[in-house]
Each structure stands twice: as structure tokens, then as C-alpha cells.
Amino acid sequence: MPERPKIVLIGCAHSAGVALEELKSGAQRLPAHVEWVSIPCGGTLDELHILRAFESGAEQVMVLACYDGACRSVEGNKWAEKRVSAARALLEEAGIAGWRLAFHHIAPSMPLDLLRWIEEFREPAVAQEQPESSDREAKA
Amino acid sequence: MIVAKRKPLAEIAANLQKVNKLLIVGCNTCVAVCLAGGEKEVAVLASALRLALRQTNPTIQITQRCVERQCEEEFNEVLTEDVAACDVVLSMACGVGVQTMAEQFPDKIVYPALNTSFMGRPLERGVWSERCAGCGNCVLDKFGGVCPIARCSKNLLNGPCGGSANGKCEVDPENIDCAWQLIYDRLKRIGQLDRLLEIEPPKDWSTSRHGGPRKIVREDMVL
């Protein structure tokens, strides 16, 4: 079975982090190729978090932040979404296809949705699997 | 302050395909305030370049530095060893900082990473707007503190033109205020509308770029 590409999840501790705890309490866990990075709020997300995840070998990065109205810092989720957009544009400039960076709103009660997103995140990656140089050529 | 914007990554990377040791130098003054070339932006650019070059120049070594004011040599002296150790300096300062580095380290290749755009001010977080064109002969006293050179799309000194409608400029009605509407409103507010009765003569541009590169000498500060 081919090795799955490394996925880094960067998520708010108050929503995504709790959903992950829910997973564990249900005796489930993240797939082995998925790495979890907790941040205290979506508003603390920095495009450097995303860039360095890719630099560290991640093939795909998923950012998880609260729904509108659920952020403890009021607008942290909106800042996270903005920064994901900025980071996606920069990644595309660097020759990394934009689909490799995903954003989802999440609530603590959505651990199974998270697993589904991870699965779906993988499927397009397999369907569009190309050498990285192809991404660059496509951009050029 | 001087407002700048990062160049497209491909344009920056095109100069770095055969570079082994790159030094990126930011500036913590104007371009840090406009989020174009401060310490954070240096780190982001370094990371983005490592990703962009990992197919074509994967062994490039990138050193990151940031000085307080790149347009003054004294602040750049701390970079002497780093500059000596690198092949290329990529400056994230304004054009003044880039040229200061090139003059201070004349044997080193220095490339710009930013497009220096204008002198302006922040209107809100993430938004900067031009306010001064550096024409060398300030006329803000005559126009209620609103510069027709920098803020009128046609640089009109006797405006408005026929393209002013609903306080907006015909060049971009969505985003550009008519400077002459602003001038009128401001002069009315401060009780100086009579200034608009004066005809402004053609501007002497010799104090601006038309007079060639400019220099100011304070004789009392020079021995």
C-alpha cells in the first residue's frame, strides 16, 4: 500500500482540539499520516505556521477554526480564514497548488466530520496526484 | 511613511536560481509598519523562497536579518560579516535602503524584494493611501491641507475637472475620492473658500524630478 502523504492539521484548541479529544474518547484516532498542531485560537494563526508545515514535509495542510459566533475571541476564526487565503496565494506563487491548503469551520461536536474531511482531502489528492514539478509547470 | 509591496515571488526567485548563500535583510522602519519588509515579512519570504526553489535550487542557504533603518549606513554596519559571507543580498527595504546597501557594500550583488510605491499613511488596518508626491514645493497651505499633486489623478492645481461626480474621481469612482471635492469641503470647513478664487499659476517642477536627482545640504551641519 503506497505511503499516504503527510497532512498537517492546524486548529483552534477550543473547537478542533476538543473534537480530537472526542475522537480519543470514542477509541478512535487520527490516521498515522496526519499530524496535529494546536493553536490557542484561529486568530493566532500565522501564514508562517502554514509555510513551515509545508517546509517540514507536509503535502497538505488543513486549518480548522470555529464557526462564526462561536469564537471565544469573537473574530479569531475570521482572521484564520483571511490568513489561509493569503497563505494560499503565496503558496501558489511558490508553485504549490492551492488545493493543498484547506480551511474548515469546526465545532467540538464534529469529530466524525473531521475524519471525513481528512478522508476527502486525501481523495482529491490521489485523483490529482502529480509530481510537484507538474504543479509548477501548471502555474508557469 | 514610505509604503511598499513585495514583488511577485517568481520575479524575486528568477534572480536566485544559482545563488548558494542568500542574505535577506529587512528594515524595521517604514516597510515594517506597512507590513512589507519587517522581521515577520523577512521570515515569510525566506520560507516561501525555500519552497519555491526546492526543485531548482534546493541547497540554497538563506540567512535572515533585519536592521532598524536600512537607509542609514550606521545601522547596517552590524551586517558586515553576514554580507561578506553571502553571495547575494536581497533587500526588503524601500528603494533607498536597497541603494544604501549597494553603496555601502559595493562588491556585493544587492537585489530588491519590494516595489516602493508611495509616501502615504494608514487609513485602517491593512490599508495605506498616498498623501505626498515629494514635489519639493509644498502647497498644502493653499488647498486646505489636501494635496492636489498627490491626490488628484490629474495633478490639477485649478480644479476640479469634469470627471468629478458625487465626490469621486472618474479614474476609479469606486476607490478614489475627488481631491478637489475634499479641498472644497475642507476649505469651507475652515472658512477659507475665498482661496478658490485665486488662480494658481503653472507649477515650477524644477524642485521635483524635473530638476534631476535632488540633494539637501545643511551647511551648519557639515564641516
Side-chain angles (χ1 to χ4, degrees), chain A residues 76-93:
Chain A
N77 59 324
K78 292 178 181 173
W79 287 115
E81 197 164 5
K82 283 268 190 179
R83 286 163 192 158
V84 165
S85 296
R88 185 179 291 117
L90 187 54
L91 288 168
E92 287 179 340
E93 279 194 83

mmCIF file of all heavy atoms in Angstrom, chain A residues 76-93:
data_model
loop_
_atom_site.group_PDB
_atom_site.id
_atom_site.type_symbol
_atom_site.label_atom_id
_atom_site.label_comp_id
_atom_site.label_asym_id
_atom_site.label_seq_id
_atom_site.Cartn_x
_atom_site.Cartn_y
_atom_site.Cartn_z
ATOM 1 N N GLY A 76 -11.547 35.520 15.861
ATOM 2 C CA GLY A 76 -10.347 34.741 15.554
ATOM 3 C C GLY A 76 -10.535 33.845 14.343
ATOM 4 O O GLY A 76 -9.624 33.692 13.518
ATOM 5 N N ASN A 77 -11.722 33.270 14.192
ATOM 6 C CA ASN A 77 -11.971 32.378 13.051
ATOM 7 C C ASN A 77 -11.927 33.139 11.737
ATOM 8 O O ASN A 77 -11.461 32.626 10.717
ATOM 9 C CB ASN A 77 -13.323 31.677 13.214
ATOM 10 C CG ASN A 77 -14.477 32.651 13.306
ATOM 11 O OD1 ASN A 77 -14.345 33.732 13.883
ATOM 12 N ND2 ASN A 77 -15.615 32.289 12.735
ATOM 13 N N LYS A 78 -12.394 34.395 11.770
ATOM 14 C CA LYS A 78 -12.384 35.181 10.529
ATOM 15 C C LYS A 78 -10.955 35.539 10.133
ATOM 16 O O LYS A 78 -10.600 35.509 8.948
ATOM 17 C CB LYS A 78 -13.206 36.460 10.720
ATOM 18 C CG LYS A 78 -14.690 36.176 10.887
ATOM 19 C CD LYS A 78 -15.482 37.443 11.130
ATOM 20 C CE LYS A 78 -16.955 37.105 11.318
ATOM 21 N NZ LYS A 78 -17.742 38.280 11.723
ATOM 22 N N TRP A 79 -10.133 35.865 11.134
ATOM 23 C CA TRP A 79 -8.728 36.139 10.823
ATOM 24 C C TRP A 79 -8.044 34.890 10.274
ATOM 25 O O TRP A 79 -7.227 34.968 9.359
ATOM 26 C CB TRP A 79 -7.994 36.653 12.065
ATOM 27 C CG TRP A 79 -8.376 38.055 12.414
ATOM 28 C CD1 TRP A 79 -9.024 38.485 13.543
ATOM 29 C CD2 TRP A 79 -8.170 39.230 11.614
ATOM 30 N NE1 TRP A 79 -9.223 39.838 13.494
ATOM 31 C CE2 TRP A 79 -8.708 40.323 12.320
ATOM 32 C CE3 TRP A 79 -7.579 39.459 10.379
ATOM 33 C CZ2 TRP A 79 -8.673 41.632 11.835
ATOM 34 C CZ3 TRP A 79 -7.541 40.761 9.879
ATOM 35 C CH2 TRP A 79 -8.081 41.824 10.614
ATOM 36 N N ALA A 80 -8.382 33.741 10.843
ATOM 37 C CA ALA A 80 -7.774 32.497 10.351
ATOM 38 C C ALA A 80 -8.100 32.284 8.878
ATOM 39 O O ALA A 80 -7.221 31.955 8.076
ATOM 40 C CB ALA A 80 -8.276 31.314 11.181
ATOM 41 N N GLU A 81 -9.355 32.511 8.513
ATOM 42 C CA GLU A 81 -9.763 32.302 7.123
ATOM 43 C C GLU A 81 -9.041 33.281 6.194
ATOM 44 O O GLU A 81 -8.608 32.918 5.098
ATOM 45 C CB GLU A 81 -11.287 32.460 7.006
ATOM 46 C CG GLU A 81 -11.857 31.885 5.731
ATOM 47 C CD GLU A 81 -13.367 31.703 5.788
ATOM 48 O OE1 GLU A 81 -13.996 32.112 6.787
ATOM 49 O OE2 GLU A 81 -13.914 31.154 4.814
ATOM 50 N N LYS A 82 -8.916 34.524 6.653
ATOM 51 C CA LYS A 82 -8.196 35.528 5.860
ATOM 52 C C LYS A 82 -6.740 35.101 5.639
ATOM 53 O O LYS A 82 -6.189 35.223 4.541
ATOM 54 C CB LYS A 82 -8.206 36.870 6.590
ATOM 55 C CG LYS A 82 -9.516 37.626 6.489
ATOM 56 C CD LYS A 82 -9.466 38.555 5.310
ATOM 57 C CE LYS A 82 -10.650 39.516 5.309
ATOM 58 N NZ LYS A 82 -10.584 40.433 4.162
ATOM 59 N N ARG A 83 -6.116 34.623 6.702
ATOM 60 C CA ARG A 83 -4.697 34.265 6.599
ATOM 61 C C ARG A 83 -4.493 33.008 5.766
ATOM 62 O O ARG A 83 -3.468 32.855 5.108
ATOM 63 C CB ARG A 83 -4.096 34.134 8.002
ATOM 64 C CG ARG A 83 -3.905 35.510 8.623
ATOM 65 C CD ARG A 83 -3.705 35.517 10.088
ATOM 66 N NE ARG A 83 -3.815 36.894 10.580
ATOM 67 C CZ ARG A 83 -4.098 37.213 11.832
ATOM 68 N NH1 ARG A 83 -4.282 36.270 12.740
ATOM 69 N NH2 ARG A 83 -4.186 38.468 12.183
ATOM 70 N N VAL A 84 -5.466 32.126 5.795
ATOM 71 C CA VAL A 84 -5.390 30.956 4.917
ATOM 72 C C VAL A 84 -5.433 31.405 3.459
ATOM 73 O O VAL A 84 -4.670 30.920 2.620
ATOM 74 C CB VAL A 84 -6.534 29.965 5.229
ATOM 75 C CG1 VAL A 84 -6.694 28.945 4.107
ATOM 76 C CG2 VAL A 84 -6.264 29.251 6.543
ATOM 77 N N SER A 85 -6.299 32.362 3.167
ATOM 78 C CA SER A 85 -6.379 32.872 1.786
ATOM 79 C C SER A 85 -5.058 33.496 1.356
ATOM 80 O O SER A 85 -4.582 33.271 0.237
ATOM 81 C CB SER A 85 -7.503 33.909 1.670
ATOM 82 O OG SER A 85 -8.743 33.314 1.918
ATOM 83 N N ALA A 86 -4.480 34.292 2.263
ATOM 84 C CA ALA A 86 -3.202 34.934 1.933
ATOM 85 C C ALA A 86 -2.110 33.889 1.748
ATOM 86 O O ALA A 86 -1.296 33.970 0.813
ATOM 87 C CB ALA A 86 -2.815 35.918 3.032
ATOM 88 N N ALA A 87 -2.092 32.900 2.625
ATOM 89 C CA ALA A 87 -1.078 31.851 2.526
ATOM 90 C C ALA A 87 -1.259 31.029 1.257
ATOM 91 O O ALA A 87 -0.275 30.643 0.604
ATOM 92 C CB ALA A 87 -1.139 30.939 3.753
ATOM 93 N N ARG A 88 -2.515 30.778 0.882
ATOM 94 C CA ARG A 88 -2.770 30.001 -0.342
ATOM 95 C C ARG A 88 -2.223 30.741 -1.561
ATOM 96 O O ARG A 88 -1.606 30.144 -2.448
ATOM 97 C CB ARG A 88 -4.265 29.719 -0.493
ATOM 98 C CG ARG A 88 -4.582 28.819 -1.691
ATOM 99 C CD ARG A 88 -6.061 28.520 -1.814
ATOM 100 N NE ARG A 88 -6.535 27.672 -0.749
ATOM 101 C CZ ARG A 88 -7.453 28.030 0.154
ATOM 102 N NH1 ARG A 88 -7.975 29.240 0.103
ATOM 103 N NH2 ARG A 88 -7.847 27.193 1.084
ATOM 104 N N ALA A 89 -2.442 32.053 -1.585
ATOM 105 C CA ALA A 89 -1.933 32.845 -2.711
ATOM 106 C C ALA A 89 -0.405 32.779 -2.765
ATOM 107 O O ALA A 89 0.187 32.645 -3.844
ATOM 108 C CB ALA A 89 -2.404 34.290 -2.572
ATOM 109 N N LEU A 90 0.217 32.848 -1.603
ATOM 110 C CA LEU A 90 1.682 32.800 -1.557
ATOM 111 C C LEU A 90 2.193 31.419 -1.969
ATOM 112 O O LEU A 90 3.182 31.298 -2.710
ATOM 113 C CB LEU A 90 2.156 33.159 -0.149
ATOM 114 C CG LEU A 90 3.656 33.321 0.069
ATOM 115 C CD1 LEU A 90 4.250 34.327 -0.912
ATOM 116 C CD2 LEU A 90 3.936 33.770 1.499
ATOM 117 N N LEU A 91 1.506 30.375 -1.506
ATOM 118 C CA LEU A 91 1.908 29.019 -1.883
ATOM 119 C C LEU A 91 1.804 28.826 -3.397
ATOM 120 O O LEU A 91 2.676 28.205 -4.018
ATOM 121 C CB LEU A 91 1.024 27.991 -1.164
ATOM 122 C CG LEU A 91 1.276 27.831 0.334
ATOM 123 C CD1 LEU A 91 0.152 27.019 0.975
ATOM 124 C CD2 LEU A 91 2.625 27.153 0.588
ATOM 125 N N GLU A 92 0.742 29.356 -3.973
ATOM 126 C CA GLU A 92 0.580 29.225 -5.424
ATOM 127 C C GLU A 92 1.699 29.958 -6.145
ATOM 128 O O GLU A 92 2.203 29.490 -7.172
ATOM 129 C CB GLU A 92 -0.795 29.729 -5.849
ATOM 130 C CG GLU A 92 -1.894 28.749 -5.433
ATOM 131 C CD GLU A 92 -3.288 29.213 -5.804
ATOM 132 O OE1 GLU A 92 -3.467 30.426 -6.039
ATOM 133 O OE2 GLU A 92 -4.199 28.355 -5.833
ATOM 134 N N GLU A 93 2.109 31.099 -5.588
ATOM 135 C CA GLU A 93 3.264 31.810 -6.169
ATOM 136 C C GLU A 93 4.520 30.938 -6.098
ATOM 137 O O GLU A 93 5.388 31.012 -6.965
ATOM 138 C CB GLU A 93 3.528 33.111 -5.410
ATOM 139 C CG GLU A 93 2.655 34.279 -5.801
ATOM 140 C CD GLU A 93 3.231 35.576 -5.245
ATOM 141 O OE1 GLU A 93 4.122 36.139 -5.872
ATOM 142 O OE2 GLU A 93 2.790 35.994 -4.159
#
